[in-house]
Amino acid sequence: MPLSLLRPAPEAVAAACVGALLLALDAGVVSRSRIGLAVVASGVLALVTAAGSLPAYRAGRRWTACALSVTAAAVSLLTTSLVERTVLQRTPGWAELIGLLMLLCVACRYGRPLPLAASAVPLFVAVVRLAGRAPALSDLPVLDGIDKLFTLLPVGFVLLGGYLRTEDGRRQATAERVRQSERLDLARDLHDHVAHYVTAMVVQAQAGEHTAERDPAMARQLFSNIERTGQEGLVAMGRMVRLLREPGGPRTSAPVAPVMTAIEELVHRFPAPGQHAWLDKADDVDSSAWSPQLAKSVERLVQEGLTNIRKHARTATTVHVMLGTNGDRLVVRVRDNATGQHRSRGRFRHSGFGMIGLSERVAELGGELTCGPMPEGGWELAASIPMK
C-alpha cells in the first residue's frame, strides 16, 4: 500500500493536537479525584465519538452516528450531575465541550430529520448543562456572562451545521448540473460522429448495390469510400474514448484542425456521384475570432445538415453551405435542391436526436435554429448565433 494512503490528513493531525491540548488542560485543572477523572474520561469519550460520527454519516450509517451522539450526551449529563453534587468544579471540561459541539454541528450537517432530532436535542441539553460545572467562573468580571455563553454556543454550531448543509446541497446541485451538461455534450458528440460516418457508409453501400452490375468501376470506388469512411469513424471514436478514459492525462491525440479547415473538408468530401457541394464564406467571417463553443457548434451544424441530406435528400443534386454575418450574429445555412416528395426513401429511421442536439447547442449560445422547405424548392437548415 502506498505510504500516501497511510499518512493521516493534516486536518486530522491538527484536530488530534487540539484535542490532546484540551485534555491536558482539563487534566491540569481538575482534581485527581474520581470526579476529576470522570471529567477527563467524558472529554475523551466526546472527542472519540465526534471523530467516529463523521465517517459514520458519510458511510450512510446515520443511526450509528446518532447512537454515538446520544451516548456522549448521556455520559456528559451524568458527569455534570456528579460534579454539581460533589465539588465546585473550576472547569466545565473543555475537551468535552468541543467534542459535543462538533457532534452537534456534524449531526446538523449530515443527519436526516428523525436521527437528527434524536441526537441534536440531548447534545444541546448536555452543552447547556455544562454551565453548572463552573459556578466559580461566573463570579469573575470577565466571565460573568458564561451562562449565556453555554446557551449561545450550541445555537451557533447548529447554525454552522445548517449553513454547511446548505452549501453541500448547492455543491451537489452544481456537480449534478455539470454531470448532466457533460452527458448531454457527450451524447451530442456521439450522435454527430456516429450519424455522420455511419450514414455515409450506409448510403454508399446502398448505391453500390445498384451500380455493382452496371458500373463495376463505380462500385469499387464506392466500396473503397466505405472503407475509408469506416477508418475515419474509428479514428474519431478512438479520440473520444481516449479523452474519456484519460481526462487528466497528456493530450497525445492528433491536434484538432481549425474549424474552417474542418468545414471545408466536410463539404469537399460530401458529394456522392451526381451531386455537387460547395461552400460560400462571406469576407467578414473571421473564424479565428470565434469562441471554442461557437466553432464547435458551427462545425456540428454543417455536419448535421450534410448528414440529414445524405439520409433524407438522396435526390438532391446541389448542396450549398453558406457562412455569413448579420450585424453581430453569425448566420449558417445548409441548403439542398431536393423536392419535398423525394426527400426520403424510407430507409432511415428518424431518431430526432440530431435536431435536438443542434437546438440545445444553438440555444446555449443564445442563437436561433430553423429547419424547413424553401419557397423556391429544396430544404434549408439555418442558424443565427451571436458571435460575442
Side-chain angles (χ1 to χ4, degrees):
M1 181 179 296
L3 292 178
S4 58
L5 298 179
L6 300 175
R7 189 179 301 121
E11 296 82 359
V13 174
C17 292
V18 171
L21 179 63
L22 292 174
L23 285 174
L25 178 63
D26 289 339
V29 173
V30 300
S31 62
R32 296 182 179 180
S33 63
R34 293 180 180 179
I35 299 300
L37 294 177
V39 171
V40 175
S42 182
V44 171
L45 178 64
L47 292 177
V48 171
T49 53
S53 66
L54 182 58
Y57 275 116
R58 289 179 173 174
R61 299 193 297 269
R62 295 179 177 84
W63 283 109
T64 300
C66 176
L68 291 174
S69 299
V70 172
T71 300
V75 172
S76 176
L77 289 171
L78 178 61
T79 304
T80 299
S81 177
L82 293 174
V83 169
E84 288 178 332
R85 289 183 302 178
T86 307
V87 295
L88 293 178
Q89 189 67 24
R90 293 187 298 159
T91 175
W94 298 113
E96 182 179 341
L97 174 62
I98 293 299
L100 295 176
L101 291 174
M102 289 173 60
L103 283 168
L104 186 60
C105 180
V106 171
C108 292
R109 180 177 184 179
Y110 296 107
R112 294 288 177 85
L114 189 56
L116 170 60
S119 58
V121 172
L123 287 172
F124 194 99
V125 173
V127 172
V128 173
R129 292 284 290 118
L130 284 176
R133 298 192 194 177
L137 291 178
S138 60
D139 297 333
L140 298 177
V142 178
L143 299 175
D144 56 354
I146 193 169
D147 293 338
K148 296 180 181 179
L149 173 67
F150 281 91
T151 302
L152 294 177
L153 271 178
V155 173
F157 275 78
V158 167
L159 295 177
L160 176 61
Y163 170 76
L164 294 176
R165 189 188 192 99
T166 302
E167 289 299 307
D168 290 341
R170 290 177 181 175
R171 283 194 293 269
Q172 291 175 0
T174 301
E176 180 58 32
R177 286 195 298 269
V178 171
R179 284 193 294 268
Q180 178 66 13
S181 177
E182 291 175 346
R183 286 195 295 266
L184 289 175
D185 196 47
L186 177 59
R188 296 169 193 156
D189 285 343
L190 284 173
H191 175 274
D192 292 341
H193 280 82
V194 172
H196 178 72
Y197 290 108
V198 173
T199 299
M201 294 168 63
V202 172
V203 169
Q204 293 179 95
Q206 292 172 352
E209 293 178 3
H210 297 284
T211 61
E213 296 181 359
R214 293 178 298 176
D215 191 349
M218 178 60 70
R220 286 194 295 271
Q221 180 62 41
L222 288 172
F223 287 118
S224 177
N225 291 342
I226 292 174
E227 180 184 5
R228 174 176 52 79
T229 304
Q231 294 289 350
E232 293 173 354
L234 289 174
V235 171
M237 292 298 295
R239 185 183 305 116
M240 292 186 64
V241 171
R242 189 158 46 248
L243 293 176
L244 289 172
R245 291 178 62 88
E246 304 174 3
R251 303 292 177 154
T252 57
S253 57
V256 179
V259 60
M260 197 55 62
T261 302
I263 292 174
E264 291 173 352
E265 185 67 16
L266 286 171
V267 176
H268 174 72
R269 303 177 66 172
F270 171 78
Q275 286 183 332
H276 176 62
W278 72 97
L279 171 67
D280 279 343
K281 181 173 73 73
D283 294 336
D284 56 350
V285 174
D286 181 13
S287 60
S288 63
W290 296 350
S291 66
Q293 293 81 4
L294 177 59
K296 184 176 182 179
S297 296
V298 172
E299 182 182 353
R300 293 293 184 261
L301 276 164
V302 175
Q303 186 181 61
E304 181 65 19
L306 296 177
T307 300
N308 284 339
I309 293 173
R310 274 204 181 101
K311 285 183 176 180
H312 312 300
R314 297 272 299 280
T315 60
T317 57
T318 60
V319 177
H320 194 186
V321 179
M322 293 173 285
L323 301 178
T325 59
N326 183 11
D328 62 345
R329 301 175 77 86
L330 176 68
V331 180
V332 184
R333 302 181 189 274
V334 182
R335 294 176 172 177
D336 65 74
N337 66 341
T339 56
Q341 60 268 29
H342 298 299
R343 284 205 57 81
S344 179
R345 296 180 57 179
R347 303 186 70 171
F348 285 93
R349 298 177 62 181
H350 293 262
S351 69
F353 293 123
M355 292 304 300
I356 292 174
L358 283 184
S359 300
E360 292 172 344
R361 288 185 188 275
V362 173
E364 288 175 358
L365 295 174
E368 300 172 353
L369 179 71
T370 59
C371 182
M374 296 183 293
E376 65 273 18
W379 200 268
E380 179 185 71
L381 174 68
S384 175
I385 310 173
M387 289 184 286
K388 296 183 180 180

